[in-house]
Amino acid sequence: MVWKKTKKNLEYAESIIDTVREPLIALDQNLRVVSVSRSFYDVFKVMPEETLGQLIYDLGNKQWNIPKLRELLETILPQKTTFDDYEVEHDFATIGRRIMLLNTRQIQRVLGKERIILLAIEDITARREIENGLEKARKELAAIKISEDEAREYSESVINTIREPLIVLDQDLRVVSVSRSFYEVFKVNPEETVGQLIYDLGNKQWNIPKLRELLETILPKRTTFEDYEVEHDFAAIGRRIMLLNARQIKRVWGKDRIILLAIEDITERRETENGLEKAHEELTALAAELKRVARVKSEFLANMSHELRTPLNSIIGFSEVLYDETFGVLNEKQKKYVNNVLTSGKHLLLLINQILDMAKVESGKMNLVLSSFSIKGLLNDISMLVADIVGKKKLEMILEIAEDLPHIVADELKVKEIIYNLLSNAVKFTPEGGKIGMRASTRKADSKIEIKVWDTGVGLAPENMGKIFEGFFRVDTPYSRVTEGTGLGLPLSKKLVELHGGNLSVESEGLNKGTTVLFTLPIVSGKGVRDGKESVGCR
Amino acid sequence: MGKKALVVDDNANNLLLGKDLLEVAGFTVFEAENAADGIAIARREKPDIILMDVRLPDMRGTKAARILRQDKETRDIPIVFVTSSVMTEGLEEIKDITNAGFLGKPINTRTFVKEISQFIK
């Protein structure tokens, strides 16, 4: 508008051009420089003489040959008369990289028909740098903020994730933050917790003398404290034993200190420990009691043995004297009856002896008296001993005793007892006309003597198989009289075999199908004998 | 001349049984139902053998035996403990008594006198 008026106005305009801080350049239709503001020279370090009348592209040694400027002047401007904020970035040889905003106006010159182009150049390099710096700073700030938020979130999520209740206090012992588990464990609400004095929490339930001691006396002196044990009876959750772990830390963003207090509820652990300890004590007491019981049992058996033998001495002694007619002749019936007394007395004595032997074996007090002897000779001797009753019962006895049986080291009396028990059982439980037998051989594989005592007698029902070693189990048969066995012979034999380091087992195919007792004896007993040295005494 | 035997037993029946068996074998038998009487009779009669129960009302037979061993009059009289205490503990108790033997109850009446006679010199 201004340009249209007068010459005066033109001069005025030119002075404006010179005054404005912004470089301004006026071009004619052919893009040659008509006029230039002083600031243009200042900014772009060019001289008036090498500027006026020049093609703009040739300015400053062709520094202005800028593709984007050409685009603006040759392509855009012919179509539009004004163009604002056309951004051009260019690296000038003299002044370095510049970012410019070009504002152009195409105006009709008042004096003629020519058009002139006004080109205002705003150097925004510094502004852009500041903007970029600001942007960068903003981004960094944002990043810092994010990381701070993240850190806070992270620590809060740590606090909330851990199972252990955690409480954060400020210097004045007021609650800053609390883990979720704290609320769950101690049954308190967030609204009545945060900002409160710790002692006031949960209706002053936390006013615990030992906690006060920790927070007020101990922590000021030490920055950390671990496993400070506190026992307290909470109204809401009852008596609890807790381990407190405290850390006093300086807050990063200030001079305040905060106190982290982790609370480990060890009530149950302690209960378990106490339970264990109690169980251990009980076990110790039980062991002592068992020992005492074993001693009492052993004393009881010794007393029982003594007390039973005293009257038995009279029963057996006098009936023997009577039976032997030492003091006069008895009639047949008297003799038969006194023999019944004698037999019963001896049976009772056998029972007592076997009970004592069982007790001795079980308490580990049975000692083996080891010697070397011929097992072949022993087997033959015992078979002769039962030959009498075998004959009376019209049984057939089949002996298969290997010729090459070695001498063995064992307790001879006990081996005799075992063989006698088994053979007399075979006789006892086999009806007249049946067969009994004994087979003995050496088992080379493990240096053991294998002895089998068998019969064709009453056998064992499968359901009774397990009972025969329990003691006092008796097979009721028409062939065995009640007085004939004690029910302890087989269990005792098994124990004596095992004491030697052998095994004893019983087989039967069922009732009336006969019985086979198989047992082994080491050629040399004493090694690997049950109960070790204590139960094996050598003569 | 028959030999003299002292039987010390607090059980009258067993005392009688021992006495009978010994008398049948020709012994002169003295009886005592407690240790004190037994010691007194032993000192007075100086028997050829003493049959001693172990559990006696006034003291253990083994203690009575030690008392007799301290007296030179009775020091050498053989003592056979006839006892119902046949378990190991019973045997331990008499181990250190000199010139002593052991017979468990119930006794075998058919071999009793023969067994104790082995202890008489």
Side-chain angles (χ1 to χ4, degrees):
Chain A
M1 299 299 148
V2 175
W3 295 86
K4 279 185 181 174
K5 301 281 170 155
T6 61
K7 243 181 182 168
K8 222 176 182 170
N9 278 352
L10 185 64
E11 278 163 18
Y12 175 70
E14 295 229 331
S15 74
I16 289 178
I17 290 175
D18 281 343
T19 311
V20 290
R21 213 170 37 83
E22 211 171 273
L24 194 66
I25 190 166
L27 304 174
D28 65 11
Q29 261 178 311
N30 301 316
L31 306 180
R32 285 185 187 277
V33 178
V34 178
S35 172
V36 163
S37 70
R38 194 174 304 141
S39 59
F40 183 87
Y41 299 120
D42 294 342
V43 172
F44 294 103
K45 311 264 191 273
V46 286
M47 306 300 254
E49 48 276 14
E50 57 181 20
T51 303
L52 292 175
Q54 297 290 317
L55 187 66
I56 183 168
Y57 307 135
D58 293 340
L59 292 187
N61 227 349
K62 295 199 196 311
Q63 282 189 63
W64 281 84
N65 193 0
I66 302 167
K68 282 203 89 177
L69 182 64
R70 297 186 87 113
E71 185 192 353
L72 173 68
L73 296 176
E74 297 166 19
T75 312
I76 301 172
L77 265 195
Q79 292 163 22
K80 303 175 78 170
T81 52
T82 66
F83 206 96
D84 288 338
D85 295 341
Y86 187 80
E87 188 173 325
V88 173
E89 189 174 347
H90 187 68
D91 199 356
F92 294 93
T94 46
I95 55 169
R97 181 165 293 278
R98 299 274 109 182
I99 304 162
M100 301 163 287
L101 279 189
L102 306 183
N103 293 294
T104 54
R105 297 267 173 295
Q106 201 174 182
I107 45 176
Q108 195 106 31
R109 234 177 165 162
V110 199
L111 316 178
K113 297 222 163 172
E114 293 160 82
R115 289 165 176 271
I116 61 162
I117 298 163
L118 273 181
L119 187 62
I121 302 160
E122 188 182 355
D123 183 347
I124 59 163
T125 310
R127 197 219 298 173
R128 184 55 52 85
E129 269 170 16
I130 291 168
E131 279 174 3
N132 286 347
L134 268 175
E135 180 66 16
K136 204 180 155 202
R138 197 180 301 126
K139 276 182 184 161
E140 279 170 3
L141 259 174
I144 288 168
K145 194 163 183 316
I146 285 167
S147 63
E148 193 194 307
D149 284 350
E150 273 175 354
R152 189 189 304 267
E153 206 173 294
Y154 177 69
S155 63
E156 296 229 325
S157 65
V158 166
I159 290 175
N160 281 329
T161 309
I162 53 170
R163 215 168 35 82
E164 208 172 279
L166 191 69
I167 190 163
V168 183
L169 304 174
D170 65 13
Q171 259 176 321
D172 304 323
L173 305 181
R174 285 185 188 277
V175 177
V176 176
S177 175
V178 157
S179 70
R180 194 175 305 143
S181 54
F182 182 87
Y183 297 123
E184 285 163 8
V185 170
F186 294 102
K187 311 262 188 279
V188 285
N189 297 317
E191 49 270 26
E192 59 182 22
T193 303
V194 174
Q196 294 291 310
L197 188 66
I198 183 169
Y199 308 133
D200 292 342
L201 293 187
N203 228 342
K204 300 209 196 303
Q205 281 188 65
W206 280 83
N207 195 354
I208 303 168
K210 284 202 88 177
L211 180 65
R212 296 191 86 113
E213 185 191 349
L214 172 68
L215 294 175
E216 294 167 20
T217 313
I218 300 172
L219 262 197
K221 293 182 204 148
R222 310 172 58 165
T223 51
T224 67
F225 209 91
E226 280 175 19
D227 295 342
Y228 187 78
E229 189 173 323
V230 172
E231 191 175 346
H232 187 66
D233 198 355
F234 291 93
I237 55 167
R239 179 161 295 276
R240 299 270 113 184
I241 304 166
M242 299 164 289
L243 282 188
L244 304 185
N245 291 296
R247 295 252 169 310
Q248 200 173 184
I249 45 180
K250 202 180 273 235
R251 244 175 162 157
V252 200
W253 52 91
K255 297 215 158 177
D256 299 351
R257 284 162 178 278
I258 58 166
I259 296 163
L260 275 180
L261 188 64
I263 301 158
E264 191 183 352
D265 184 345
I266 57 160
T267 312
E268 273 157 40
R269 195 218 295 170
R270 188 53 56 84
E271 272 169 12
T272 310
E273 283 170 1
N274 289 345
L276 266 177
E277 197 167 317
K278 207 178 150 208
H280 182 73
E281 277 167 19
E282 281 172 0
L283 216 65
T284 311
L286 198 67
E289 175 64 8
L290 276 176
K291 226 172 176 176
R292 195 189 66 82
V293 165
R295 201 190 67 239
V296 167
K297 184 185 165 192
S298 154
E299 278 170 13
F300 173 81
L301 284 169
N303 282 329
M304 183 201 78
S305 161
H306 184 275
E307 297 306 325
L308 290 176
R309 275 167 211 278
T310 303
L312 264 181
N313 192 50
S314 286
I315 294 168
I316 293 171
F318 285 118
S319 52
E320 222 163 50
V321 170
L322 280 178
Y323 184 84
D324 290 347
E325 300 178 328
T326 310
F327 298 108
V329 181
L330 302 180
N331 66 35
E332 203 181 322
K333 205 163 183 115
Q334 287 167 332
K335 190 147 182 170
K336 190 182 161 202
Y337 286 3
V338 84
N339 189 44
N340 286 349
V341 176
L342 183 57
T343 309
S344 295
K346 285 187 170 166
H347 181 79
L348 203 52
L349 181 61
L350 179 65
L351 255 178
I352 294 165
N353 287 337
Q354 288 187 339
I355 288 171
L356 286 179
D357 281 352
M358 285 291 280
K360 269 194 204 165
V361 174
E362 277 171 3
S363 64
K365 284 183 183 166
M366 176 69 87
N367 293 321
L368 293 182
V369 182
L370 298 179
S371 63
S372 175
F373 57 91
S374 160
I375 182 72
K376 195 173 81 178
L378 185 143
L379 294 177
N380 283 321
D381 287 353
I382 306 293
S383 63
M384 305 253 270
L385 218 61
V386 295
D388 191 33
I389 48 171
V390 166
K392 272 186 198 159
K393 255 186 129 173
K394 298 184 173 61
L395 301 175
E396 189 186 343
M397 180 158 66
I398 298 160
L399 297 177
E400 298 161 278
I401 299 168
E403 279 304 313
D404 62 348
L405 285 185
H407 269 56
I408 70 167
V409 174
D411 187 320
E412 188 173 0
L413 277 180
K414 295 199 167 64
V415 174
K416 272 185 183 167
E417 190 181 336
I418 295 162
I419 307 286
Y420 184 81
N421 276 341
L422 300 182
L423 276 178
S424 56
N425 273 347
V427 173
K428 207 178 297 169
F429 295 110
T430 304
E432 281 195 14
K435 290 177 187 168
I436 70 164
M438 180 159 65
R439 175 196 294 214
S441 57
T442 311
R443 205 162 70 185
K444 293 273 174 359
D446 56 358
S447 296
K448 280 183 177 170
I449 305 292
E450 192 174 69
I451 299 169
K452 189 188 272 189
V453 178
W454 58 268
D455 63 59
T456 59
V458 296
L460 274 165
E463 66 267 24
N464 289 333
M465 224 38 166
K467 295 183 193 165
I468 52 172
F469 294 114
E470 284 172 7
F472 300 114
F473 175 76
R474 303 280 293 279
V475 179
D476 286 325
T477 76
Y479 322 112
S480 66
R481 298 208 322 266
V482 176
T483 51
E484 262 185 313
T486 58
L488 283 173
L490 193 59
L492 184 58
S493 296
K494 183 176 168 70
K495 291 207 184 293
L496 292 177
V497 164
E498 286 167 358
L499 202 56
H500 277 90
N503 279 307
L504 185 147
S505 61
V506 174
E507 290 164 20
S508 174
E509 291 189 357
L511 269 182
N512 298 316
K513 299 241 170 92
T515 307
T516 299
V517 180
L518 187 71
F519 75 96
T520 56
L521 282 177
I523 290 175
V524 177
S525 291
K527 280 178 219 150
V529 165
R530 216 178 50 164
D531 293 329
K533 278 187 222 156
E534 284 185 15
S535 61
V536 183
C538 288
R539 203 179 328 233
Chain B
M1 182 61 207
K3 291 185 185 299
K4 288 196 277 189
L6 166 63
V7 183
V8 188
D9 198 323
D10 64 328
N11 183 297
N13 290 335
N14 290 335
L15 192 60
L16 177 61
L17 180 64
K19 181 177 178 257
D20 278 357
L21 294 172
L22 286 164
E23 281 179 350
V24 166
F27 280 82
T28 303
V29 180
F30 299 91
E31 300 164 83
E33 290 198 12
N34 59 60
D37 289 354
I39 291 167
I41 293 168
R43 282 176 178 155
R44 189 181 72 225
E45 301 295 337
K46 296 173 191 66
D48 297 285
I49 185 123
I50 299 171
L51 306 184
M52 182 84 80
D53 192 10
V54 174
R55 286 192 192 182
L56 291 169
D58 50 348
M59 70 180 76
R60 296 192 66 81
T62 45
K63 193 185 174 196
R66 288 195 181 91
I67 292 169
L68 291 171
R69 286 290 172 265
Q70 282 163 10
D71 186 337
K72 73 169 192 275
E73 295 279 295
T74 56
R75 187 191 295 156
D76 299 321
I77 303 172
I79 300 172
V80 178
F81 291 97
V82 184
T83 176
S84 299
S85 302
V86 297
M87 299 181 78
T88 345
E89 301 88 274
L91 287 166
E92 283 293 307
E93 200 180 341
I94 63 163
K95 211 169 57 182
D96 61 332
I97 297 169
T98 55
N99 204 12
F102 176 92
L103 271 184
K105 285 177 189 169
I107 57 169
N108 181 337
T109 59
R110 289 154 192 169
T111 57
F112 179 67
V113 173
K114 199 173 138 205
E115 282 173 298
I116 63 161
S117 296
Q118 291 171 353
F119 292 97
I120 302 173
K121 280 159 269 173

